[in-house]
Amino acid sequence: MNHYSTNIQNITHAVIEKIGDPVSPMVVLATIESMGVRDKDVFLDFGFVSLRDLSVFVFEDLKERELISLKNGNEQKKKGAERENIPVSDYLWIKAKLFVQYYPLGIFHLLPVFLQVAAIILFGYSLWTFIGFNIVQSTSVVFGVILGLILSGGFVQVLGRQASFYWHHQEYGKCKIIIDKVIQIGLLGILVSFGLIAMVNFLFHFYPSTFILITFVYAFLIGALLLYTAPFHTLKKRWAISLAVFFATAVALLLNFYTEIHIYFTHWIGIGIAILVSKILLNSYFKKYKKGTNQKDIVLNKYMVIYKNYRYFLYGALVYIFVFIDRILAWSADAQLTHQFLFLYEKNYEIGMDLAILVFFMLAGVLEYAIASFSRFLDLYQKSTSFLIKQELSKKLYKMYWNHIGLFLITAFFTAVLIFLIITQPWGYRANFGVTLDVLSIKVCFIGGLGYLFFTWGMLNALYLYTLDRPRVVLKALFISCAVNFAIGFVCSRMVGYEYSVVGMLIGSITFMVLTLKAIRTFLKNLDYHYYAAY
């Protein structure tokens, strides 16, 4: 009798742990069967004639207990989270709190870029640029930076997504392994790409071998820097990126001003130091999670990782390709300038686009706030909205989306005012660089600024779609937008003027925004379905 009683208590406890409060005896029956209990063993182990009788007994026993005692571990966690839910009356307050928290955070995350801009303005030198370069040197260095961004962009996206998955599931050993593996594969992928580019250049003699070598060194170092700093986004330690870049920039500046080392080597040493500092900080951070974990025993299914992340890889590469298509078209449009080269750096065009990209930088805070707010309120609205009026959920989220767009446009307006002041005021561009901004640069800045506005809007839409795991829609929109960018930019740069390649970027950005906005509207109409399908 004691034997039966003990077994019944154990099976009852196991049912609670697995399903919590059951809705019917049939659910209990299915649960017990899933534990490997067979019908022919029920009499010997539990004293019941059949598995169905045992299930009915367990079900009735559970229904006589208090509900709180039927909460399993997962349900207890959910209950704890529910206590932290915010009442509807506090929604306005939490929105303000989120804005104060995330908007400055989005701007702060671009601090490494602002450090480089400040270094150029103050010293005419940064970690990968120098105002004393001639046109061929500028082409080699800037193209190296572009190449590094494009070749590493896909790997950075994969690293961030897969590492985040393991990190949030507290599988720290797998998280560290995936970081190391993706960085290793990313660096190898960059080198393989170099081999292909070198082979093409050898066959067609586009550039001298020294030009290609310098380009490859810059590209490899920039790509490696992005790969080694990417994990800090997952770990919520983005300050480490700013620390590494600040320290490296300071060392590079000292080498530039107080030694006779060539400018290329000061850059390479500086970027190498940033990579080394990032690697040291990353390894030291994971040390506390290594205790009791043997990484040799951890096995990752590489094919599953590839299948789950290939769309994110393509997205990461295509974003950078989209951003730089217009530049390459502009650099290659003037045959008299480029003569024996495939393309050469065009200073006035680049200055215009550098000013225009301020629009993207200033809107980064809105992106950070918008996606944090969307993620938070999606969950809150879902819990507070009855299934019987589920269409209200879509209305609430759609209204919130357009509130974000309103904030987005207000920020863009003030950014446009800032750029106008930089162009026109005595303390602006002329005071810092000693020359008046060329009319062509102003034209490119105006059109490019509009392009970055719509492109950033499209990226906001993409973040919404990625939140509910809809990468295919985003990827399709980005493919189409890249094609539009190239086609229109090519025609305009060849038939009107090289500076009009930026028109392709503008129309491509509008295309990206419209396609992703259409997807947003479609998916918000069926938000309840997409929400549960994503999770």
Side-chain angles (χ1 to χ4, degrees):
M1 191 69 179
N2 290 334
H3 165 70
Y4 293 152
S5 183
T6 301
N7 287 345
I8 291 171
Q9 288 179 8
N10 290 338
I11 200 70
T12 303
H13 179 73
V15 168
I16 293 173
E17 283 300 308
K18 197 156 190 178
I19 62 171
D21 183 17
V23 296
S24 72
M26 295 304 295
V27 174
V28 177
L29 174 62
T31 304
I32 294 175
E33 283 183 330
S34 71
M35 297 174 188
V37 179
R38 300 178 300 177
D39 200 62
K40 65 180 181 179
D41 298 327
V42 171
F43 182 75
L44 293 176
D45 293 339
F46 300 94
F48 286 89
V49 175
S50 67
L51 195 57
R52 181 182 295 274
D53 291 340
L54 172 63
S55 302
V56 171
F57 177 83
V58 171
F59 175 77
E60 292 176 350
D61 177 31
L62 294 178
K63 286 304 177 183
E64 291 177 358
R65 303 188 185 192
E66 293 184 5
L67 187 60
I68 188 64
S69 66
L70 303 181
K71 299 288 185 182
N72 57 25
N74 290 331
E75 289 174 323
Q76 292 289 353
K77 290 179 182 179
K78 289 180 182 178
K79 185 176 180 180
E82 288 171 359
R83 293 193 190 103
E84 299 175 1
N85 282 348
I86 302 152
V88 175
S89 59
D90 288 342
Y91 280 4
L92 183 61
W93 161 247
I94 198 61
K95 287 179 181 178
K97 185 178 178 181
L98 286 171
F99 181 79
V100 171
Q101 178 182 357
Y102 285 99
Y103 183 84
L105 193 61
I107 300 297
F108 177 75
H109 293 160
L110 292 170
L111 182 59
V113 177
F114 291 132
L115 285 173
Q116 301 314 299
V117 174
I120 280 289
I121 293 173
L122 296 174
F123 308 108
Y125 172 98
S126 73
L127 202 53
W128 51 77
T129 55
F130 177 56
I131 61 172
F133 282 146
N134 60 38
I135 188 171
V136 177
Q137 289 174 318
S138 296
T139 305
S140 179
V141 173
V142 175
F143 184 60
V145 173
I146 292 173
L147 201 59
L149 291 169
I150 292 173
L151 295 178
S152 64
F155 295 104
V156 168
Q157 286 290 323
V158 172
L159 192 155
R161 184 173 186 272
Q162 197 61 49
S164 296
F165 174 81
Y166 290 129
W167 180 260
H168 292 305
H169 285 79
Q170 299 182 351
E171 297 184 65
Y172 303 118
K174 287 186 178 181
C175 182
K176 184 61 167 64
I177 286 176
I178 203 70
I179 288 173
D180 293 339
K181 286 290 185 183
V182 173
I183 291 175
Q184 180 184 350
I185 295 171
L187 295 177
L188 181 60
I190 292 173
L191 292 175
V192 170
S193 300
F194 288 169
L196 296 174
I197 295 171
M199 187 181 302
V200 172
N201 188 72
F202 176 77
L203 294 174
F204 296 98
H205 306 289
F206 290 127
Y207 295 96
S209 56
T210 51
F211 178 102
I212 293 297
L213 179 61
I214 292 168
T215 297
F216 284 172
V217 174
Y218 275 97
F220 183 81
L221 290 173
I222 291 296
L225 179 61
L226 290 173
L227 287 169
Y228 275 105
T229 54
F232 293 112
H233 293 274
T234 297
L235 307 179
K236 306 298 182 185
K237 302 292 180 182
R238 300 182 194 181
W239 56 265
I241 304 174
S242 298
L243 177 63
V245 171
F246 177 80
F247 182 70
T249 304
V251 172
L253 282 168
L254 291 173
L255 291 175
N256 180 53
F257 287 113
Y258 296 104
T259 71
E260 298 298 322
I261 300 176
H262 193 279
I263 196 74
Y264 291 149
F265 292 103
T266 62
H267 279 162
W268 298 345
I269 292 170
I271 301 172
I273 288 173
I275 294 169
L276 180 62
V277 171
S278 300
K279 187 174 182 178
I280 291 171
L281 290 174
L282 188 62
N283 289 335
S284 63
Y285 187 74
F286 269 100
K287 273 186 178 178
K288 61 182 179 181
Y289 296 109
K290 284 186 176 181
K291 296 178 180 179
T293 302
N294 187 0
Q295 293 194 356
K296 292 181 180 179
D297 297 334
I298 298 174
V299 179
L300 293 176
N301 188 330
K302 61 181 180 181
Y303 298 106
M304 183 59 68
V305 171
I306 293 170
Y307 175 75
K308 291 170 64 178
N309 294 287
Y310 76 92
R311 291 191 182 95
Y312 295 86
F313 176 88
L314 293 174
Y315 173 79
L318 281 175
V319 164
Y320 285 115
I321 289 173
F322 181 92
V323 169
F324 294 119
I325 283 175
D326 65 286
R327 286 174 167 86
I328 300 302
L329 289 175
W331 296 359
S332 60
D334 192 341
Q336 292 181 346
L337 174 67
T338 58
H339 43 277
Q340 77 269 29
F341 294 119
L342 190 63
F343 53 79
L344 281 176
Y345 179 86
E346 213 301 315
K347 180 180 177 182
N348 290 329
Y349 186 91
E350 193 65 23
I351 290 172
M353 291 304 290
D354 287 345
L355 286 171
I357 205 171
L358 282 173
V359 174
F360 175 78
F361 290 157
M362 296 305 293
L363 290 174
V366 179
L367 291 181
E368 192 84 23
Y369 160 72
I371 199 60
S373 178
F374 177 72
S375 300
R376 177 72 65 87
F377 281 93
L378 176 62
D379 189 48
L380 291 175
Y381 287 150
Q382 183 267 332
K383 289 180 179 178
S384 62
T385 305
S386 170
F387 176 78
L388 298 176
I389 52 171
K390 60 183 180 181
Q391 65 275 11
E392 290 297 318
L393 178 63
S394 296
K395 291 180 181 179
K396 290 177 182 178
L397 269 298
Y398 198 59
K399 181 181 178 181
M400 185 179 69
Y401 169 80
W402 284 107
N403 287 339
H404 291 162
I405 298 303
L407 179 62
F408 185 88
L409 295 176
I410 291 171
T411 306
F413 171 78
F414 284 108
T415 304
V417 171
L418 174 63
I419 294 174
F420 175 78
L421 294 175
I422 291 173
I423 293 172
T424 60
Q425 294 304 302
W427 51 263
Y429 183 86
R430 184 173 183 177
N432 288 286
F433 293 99
V435 294
T436 304
L437 198 62
D438 192 274
V439 174
L440 186 148
S441 298
I442 296 174
K443 186 192 305 181
V444 170
C445 175
F446 175 75
I447 301 173
L450 282 175
Y452 278 118
L453 170 65
F454 287 108
F455 180 67
T456 312
W457 187 343
M459 290 195 71
L460 174 62
N461 296 339
L463 289 172
Y464 267 68
L465 293 167
Y466 272 120
T467 300
L468 292 192
D469 198 25
R470 305 287 289 175
R472 182 180 299 178
V473 177
V474 178
L475 195 58
K476 181 181 178 181
L478 195 52
F479 265 118
I480 295 172
S481 302
C482 283
V484 170
N485 186 351
F486 179 83
I488 294 179
F490 183 85
V491 172
C492 290
S493 63
R494 268 61 181 176
M495 298 187 68
V496 184
Y498 75 87
E499 70 271 23
Y500 288 97
S501 64
V502 71
V503 175
M505 185 265 190
L506 171 60
I507 304 302
S509 297
I510 293 173
T511 302
F512 184 51
M513 184 276 291
V514 170
L515 291 176
T516 51
L517 177 58
K518 182 180 178 182
I520 286 283
R521 293 182 63 183
T522 302
F523 122 109
L524 283 179
K525 289 179 181 178
N526 302 287
L527 185 59
D528 56 318
Y529 166 78
H530 290 300
Y531 182 79
Y532 288 108
Y535 297 101

